[in-house]
Amino acid sequence: MRASDLPPLPEGFEYRLNLKHHVTPRLLRNQPIHRWFWFPHSFSPQLIDEILCAFPVAAGGRIFDPFLGAGTTVLRALELGYAATGSDLSPLSLFVSQVKLANYDGVMLRECLETILNHYHPSYGNSKVPERIRKAFTPGELAHLNGLRQQIDTAPQPALDFFRLALLRVQQGISRACPDGGWFRWVPREDQSQLIKHLFAQQANMQIADAKSVRFPPFQILLSDVRQLENLQGICDLVITSPPYPNRHDYSRIFHIELLSLGISEREVTELRRTSIRSHVEAEAPPLNADGYVIPSRLAKILDLPANADQRVVPLIKGYFEDLYLTLRSISRYLKPGGICAFVVGNVRHAGVMVPVDEILADVGQQAGYRFITAWVARLRGNSAQQMGRFGRELSRETVVFLQKVKTTTSRLKQRLPLSSHLALEKNNLSTSGDQTNAL
């Protein structure tokens, strides 16, 4: 698309379309270690490099990702020599990230793989396999997967989890439960049981080739709800993250098979779905007080959706931005004054109405004690087939929004007052000698 054809942008936004592949998992699919596992809306480590060029962090600084995902931010921060922290509600995210960050002995991994491949045999008749997994794989495939799993379970840590992740990737390739937007669909496939040993060896050898024996800077990975963070170690200098987009995609469903394969029960998966960020219609409001939050006027204007719209969408959108407010407020406790939050977000369309997530996030950030710095529009996306079929095509932005934690209580107060009151505050500050403010 020519520059002259690009849609105009809000004030403070700029096009950075050279980053269009950086905000997708496309580049990390060939990156050692990063490529072991990724999520559909993962961004690439190259985006972290670009952000650090624009907002440098001093040596020894700490970078935080409160929506850990597949661990891209934490792994890249550690590779660059920074301390890092990551949190997520999903046990799958924690598992994948911990495997990527472990310190490995290549010789030991090769010996373990040889033992696994030489000693495993198909194992039939496991009555404890969840029904959903039985539907995803043929009996023959399950027998080979179970046989490999039994041998993997005899390996010492960290090799045990290393090979469990390799087996998860094999499962993804042969499963009949295939991700499809915010759900998964059942796809008919021929039995692939005779290929499983080869596929597992191929995936494991790729991971072994990538694995490193390195001593990373300090890092912390924890299972936590970002809206009420607890037990984080240290103060962070920079936040780089991507919350789920409010597009109704439910990762507990998309990765249901993987969660069950890790031993997470159906009841626990349902609880994860219920307690996750309100980006889909089955998530519920957390038992938290969003004091200080008011629906931004920009959001209020789009909540009057057409009468034929899904009635669950308005509560979803309202809840999503309240959750982002709670997220930013919670992060603020662990972010240094003046620290930067870089949020990768995607605008979405419901019932033909575009939701400018990037602009509304900037408004919400001001209420939570941040000021808007800039926004990079990295990509212009189409809409879902359903939206385009009913309402036509309208490009939606995928944007990196930069917010800075306000340094003073006075500045935070100003953001919650009308413009006329700002002038009174400025006048009062000028008449006060000395620095009367306190760091947040």
Side-chain angles (χ1 to χ4, degrees):
M1 182 180 292
R2 296 177 302 179
S4 58
D5 296 330
L6 293 172
L9 294 176
E11 184 178 357
F13 284 51
E14 62 175 301
Y15 279 113
R16 292 289 301 273
L17 298 181
N18 60 309
L19 305 180
K20 65 181 179 181
H21 297 314
H22 293 47
V23 294
T24 75
R26 176 171 176 171
L27 298 178
L28 61 77
R29 292 174 183 175
N30 295 313
Q31 294 271 132
I33 303 180
H34 293 277
R35 63 183 174 175
W36 294 359
F37 194 101
W38 62 85
F39 290 107
H41 289 118
S42 294
F43 49 76
S44 298
Q46 288 84 349
L47 178 66
I48 297 162
D49 297 347
E50 292 285 342
I51 291 171
L52 284 166
C53 284
F55 299 95
V57 172
R62 181 177 292 273
I63 297 174
F64 176 38
D65 186 350
F67 296 99
L68 178 63
T72 302
T73 297
V74 171
L75 176 56
R76 185 55 180 158
L78 294 172
E79 289 173 337
L80 295 173
Y82 298 105
T85 300
S87 70
D88 209 293
L89 267 175
S90 172
L92 177 61
S93 289
L94 269 289
F95 172 76
V96 169
S97 299
Q98 287 168 342
V99 172
K100 289 182 177 181
L101 298 172
N103 193 11
Y104 296 106
D105 179 337
V107 173
M108 188 266 280
L109 290 176
R110 290 186 182 89
E111 290 175 351
C112 286
L113 177 59
E114 184 177 0
T115 299
I116 292 167
L117 294 175
N118 288 340
H119 289 82
Y120 108 93
H121 55 84
S123 176
Y124 292 89
N126 186 346
S127 61
K128 296 182 180 180
V129 176
E131 182 59 34
R132 198 178 300 268
I133 289 184
R134 290 183 183 278
K135 186 176 179 180
F137 306 101
T138 67
E141 291 167 349
L142 276 177
H144 283 269
L145 293 171
N146 288 335
L148 283 168
R149 188 174 294 109
Q150 289 171 5
Q151 285 301 314
I152 289 170
D153 287 345
T154 67
Q157 290 288 18
L160 191 157
D161 284 345
F162 179 89
F163 291 114
R164 285 179 75 196
L165 179 61
L167 194 61
L168 271 186
R169 292 291 286 144
V170 172
Q171 288 183 198
Q172 285 185 320
I174 66 173
S175 174
R176 284 150 193 83
C178 296
D180 183 18
W183 201 263
F184 63 75
R185 55 191 171 91
W186 296 102
V187 176
R189 280 180 170 159
E190 296 293 325
D191 178 88
Q192 300 180 69
S193 55
Q194 298 305 313
L195 293 175
I196 287 177
K197 180 179 180 179
H198 167 73
L199 294 172
F200 174 73
Q202 187 178 55
Q203 176 69 25
N205 278 310
M206 181 270 284
Q207 291 183 198
I208 291 172
D210 290 351
K212 298 177 181 178
S213 177
V214 296
R215 186 172 296 278
F216 281 134
F219 70 88
Q220 181 189 22
I221 301 295
L222 68 163
L223 190 69
S224 181
D225 185 342
V226 63
R227 296 165 293 186
Q228 47 182 340
L229 286 171
E230 295 180 353
N231 302 319
L232 260 67
Q233 299 169 356
I235 296 298
C236 302
D237 300 274
L238 174 65
V239 173
I240 302 177
T241 196
S242 182
Y245 297 177
N247 53 11
R248 303 177 65 163
H249 289 194
D250 176 2
Y251 284 95
S252 71
R253 292 194 183 277
I254 296 172
F255 293 98
H256 203 147
I257 300 298
E258 288 80 359
L259 288 164
L260 294 175
S261 298
L262 291 177
I264 309 302
S265 69
E266 290 282 7
R267 182 188 60 80
E268 290 169 325
V269 172
T270 300
E271 181 68 6
L272 173 62
R273 181 174 305 134
R274 185 183 68 80
T275 57
S276 59
I277 292 289
R278 284 173 279 177
S279 61
H280 59 88
V281 296
E282 293 182 77
E284 299 176 6
L288 299 172
N289 194 331
D291 284 345
Y293 176 70
V294 177
I295 294 176
S297 59
R298 205 185 313 267
L299 173 58
K301 291 176 182 177
I302 63 172
L303 291 178
D304 187 19
L305 294 179
N308 61 348
D310 187 333
Q311 296 304 302
R312 299 173 297 174
V313 169
V314 168
L316 179 159
I317 297 171
K318 291 172 66 175
Y320 179 77
F321 288 104
E322 182 177 278
D323 280 352
L324 288 188
Y325 171 81
L326 291 169
T327 295
L328 287 165
R329 191 178 70 176
S330 181
I331 289 172
S332 182
R333 295 165 51 206
Y334 300 95
L335 181 64
K336 73 175 186 179
I340 298 293
C341 284
F343 273 55
V344 182
V345 296
N347 294 354
V348 297
R349 199 178 184 200
H350 291 290
V353 177
M354 185 65 71
V355 181
V357 175
D358 46 16
E359 293 181 84
I360 298 172
L361 172 60
D363 297 337
V364 171
Q366 290 188 330
Q367 295 188 35
Y370 298 77
R371 71 184 183 94
F372 171 69
I373 301 296
T374 188
W376 298 346
V377 177
R379 186 169 169 237
L380 295 174
R381 303 177 299 154
N383 318 121
S384 69
Q386 180 185 28
Q387 290 289 316
M388 287 193 288
R390 293 179 61 191
F391 306 106
R393 178 180 171 86
E394 181 180 355
L395 294 175
S396 59
R397 299 188 295 262
E398 201 157 6
T399 309
V400 188
V401 177
F402 294 92
L403 305 172
Q404 183 178 43
K405 179 180 172 180
V406 174
K407 294 184 178 182
T408 66
T409 53
T410 299
S411 296
R412 175 178 288 186
L413 176 61
K414 283 175 61 179
Q415 293 185 41
R416 295 183 180 176
L417 294 174
L419 181 60
S420 58
S421 298
H422 290 193
L423 300 177
L425 267 175
E426 293 292 350
K427 182 177 180 180
N428 183 61
N429 288 343
L430 289 172
S431 65
T432 304
S433 60
D435 184 2
Q436 303 283 328
T437 61
N438 298 309
L440 291 178

